[in-house]
């Protein structure tokens, strides 16, 4: 009986940790993408999580655009952003105080680490 209670408690704890991690994905995340040819592009996302659905916006050269096809699964997530006539799939992992994200731009994969921007008051 003690083993059953311990196992149940452990599973519930793991589930709650995963839910807390998903909730923490909400909000603004910023970083930069450095391409293989050395060009640098700012990355800025504003995520909204509702269950396993991920929505929000991404800053592009065309301004803010909506995130499409967004999904979360524990600490993993994916979505697409359409800009400059191309659709860019993103996959990522929430790491607590940062996010690792990989972008597939016309078959060329690039990765970056994003952090929450510091508000300057």
């Amino acid at each position: 009986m003690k083993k059953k209670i311990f196992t149940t408690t452990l599973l519930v704890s793991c589930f709650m940790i995963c839910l807390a991690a998903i909730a923490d994905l909400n909000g603004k995340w910023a970083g930069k993408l450095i391409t293989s040819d050395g060009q640098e592009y700012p990355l800025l996302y504003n995520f909204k999580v509702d269950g396993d659905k991920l929505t929000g916006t991404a800053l592009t050269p065309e301004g803010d655009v909506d995130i499409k096809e967004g999904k979360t699964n524990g600490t993993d997530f994916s979505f697409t952003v359409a800009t400059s006539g191309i659709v860019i799939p993103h996959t990522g992992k929430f790491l607590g105080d940062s996010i690792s994200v990989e972008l597939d731009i016309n078959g060329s994969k690039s990765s970056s680490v994003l952090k929450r921007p510091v508000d300057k008051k």
Side-chain angles (χ1 to χ4, degrees), residues 17-32:
I17 289 169
C18 287
L19 285 178
I22 290 170
D24 285 341
L25 185 59
N26 283 303
K28 292 183 180 178
W29 294 89
K32 59 184 170 182

Side-chain angles (χ1 to χ4, degrees), residues 38-114:
Q39 291 186 348
E40 197 173 295
Y41 296 96
L43 298 176
L44 181 62
Y45 302 94
N46 190 8
F47 295 132
K48 295 175 189 154
V49 178
D50 183 15
D52 64 350
K53 186 177 179 182
L54 176 65
T55 60
T57 58
L59 180 63
T60 72
E62 300 165 350
D64 284 337
V65 297
D66 289 335
I67 289 171
K68 303 287 186 186
E69 302 172 17
K71 297 180 247 175
T72 63
N73 182 12
T75 57
D76 297 324
F77 60 93
S78 63
F79 60 93
T80 61
V81 172
T83 183
S84 302
I86 61 171
V87 175
I88 303 171
H90 293 60
T91 56
K93 185 159 197 76
F94 176 70
L95 304 171
D97 65 343
S98 63
I99 293 173
S100 67
V101 65
E102 183 175 86
L103 292 74
D104 185 348
I105 305 169
N106 290 329
S108 177
K109 294 191 178 187
S110 299
S111 60
S112 182
V113 174
L114 308 176

